[in-house]
Amino acid sequence: MKLQSKDMHLDNAITELNKLIRYFKNYRETGFSKAIVEAKEIAIEMSINPIFPQKRLIERKRRGIEDKDLKSYCHRLEKALKFEERSDIDVEELYTELKLFETLETNEFSNPIDVLKFLKELDYFLNASIAYRILLTIPITVASAEKNFSKLKFVKFYLCSTMTQE
């Protein structure tokens, strides 16, 4: 909220953003492991078995999808990306790339960013690479929409409070 205030100056905003970046870099290096340790301690205190899911192979995630469903998902993605009868991906190529990717002996991936990096290194999974880039931008889009709805509530409250009864 501080960065969104009307009287925020650019130099102060830059300082605040740099602090935020330092915080996240520090959290990435040490914060997550500290949070896991604390969560395990709390679980033990509550007499709960502190078992956390381990990293999964991307192949295991993909293996549960049947071919017809995969093809359907590819078609839905192409339709969502269509603009003036043109799409950013080709359905048949994406389907083939995903089937081929399934057969590769891949390393363990802990998140979609690792998959995207791997796909870019191979340089021949163009459609799958586009799909993963879109996957990685979805949370930003959702957060933006939630912020707009939050602002809409403020406007609605203001309008209701300014109405007078006669």
Side-chain angles (χ1 to χ4, degrees):
M1 292 303 254
K2 190 175 182 181
L3 290 173
Q4 295 175 346
S5 65
K6 291 180 182 179
D7 59 341
M8 174 58 75
H9 293 281
L10 185 59
D11 57 336
N12 292 340
I14 291 170
T15 302
E16 292 299 318
L17 286 173
N18 284 331
K19 287 180 189 176
L20 186 63
I21 290 168
R22 280 194 303 274
Y23 168 80
F24 280 119
K25 282 183 180 178
N26 183 41
Y27 186 81
R28 181 175 45 196
E29 292 170 10
T30 60
F32 186 74
S33 57
K34 287 180 183 177
I36 292 291
V37 170
E38 288 178 26
K40 285 181 180 180
E41 290 171 359
I42 292 170
I44 291 169
E45 287 175 15
M46 298 175 69
S47 301
I48 299 172
N49 195 5
I51 297 175
F52 294 93
Q54 298 297 315
K55 295 177 183 178
R56 291 176 268 164
L57 290 174
I58 192 70
E59 187 177 330
R60 267 193 246 150
K61 291 177 190 178
R62 166 53 194 104
R63 194 175 285 161
I65 301 173
E66 293 192 22
D67 288 347
K68 64 179 177 134
D69 293 332
L70 178 61
K71 196 154 214 163
S72 171
Y73 297 147
C74 291
H75 278 285
R76 286 173 48 193
L77 180 61
E78 181 195 44
K79 185 178 179 181
L81 298 177
K82 238 179 206 179
F83 179 73
E84 295 180 355
E85 299 304 314
R86 296 186 73 211
S87 181
D88 292 327
I89 61 165
D90 179 272
V91 173
E92 296 302 322
E93 288 179 10
L94 176 61
Y95 175 77
T96 305
E97 288 173 15
L98 292 175
K99 292 295 289 176
L100 179 61
F101 185 72
E102 179 183 32
T103 64
L104 295 177
E105 292 293 324
T106 57
N107 296 330
E108 190 171 314
F109 299 114
S110 60
N111 58 48
I113 294 173
D114 292 339
V115 176
L116 180 60
K117 287 177 184 175
F118 182 77
L119 291 173
K120 283 185 172 183
E121 286 175 12
L122 295 178
D123 197 36
Y124 50 82
F125 288 99
L126 301 177
N127 290 280
S129 181
I130 291 169
Y132 269 94
R133 281 186 283 167
I134 291 169
L135 169 72
L136 293 170
T137 60
I138 289 174
I140 295 167
T141 305
V142 171
S144 173
E146 288 174 2
K147 181 180 170 188
N148 290 338
F149 279 110
S150 175
K151 296 294 181 192
L152 187 61
K153 283 195 318 191
F154 287 123
V155 171
K156 181 180 174 184
F157 177 76
Y158 173 78
L159 291 174
C160 288
S161 67
T162 59
M163 293 172 50
T164 58
Q165 292 181 339
E166 294 184 32

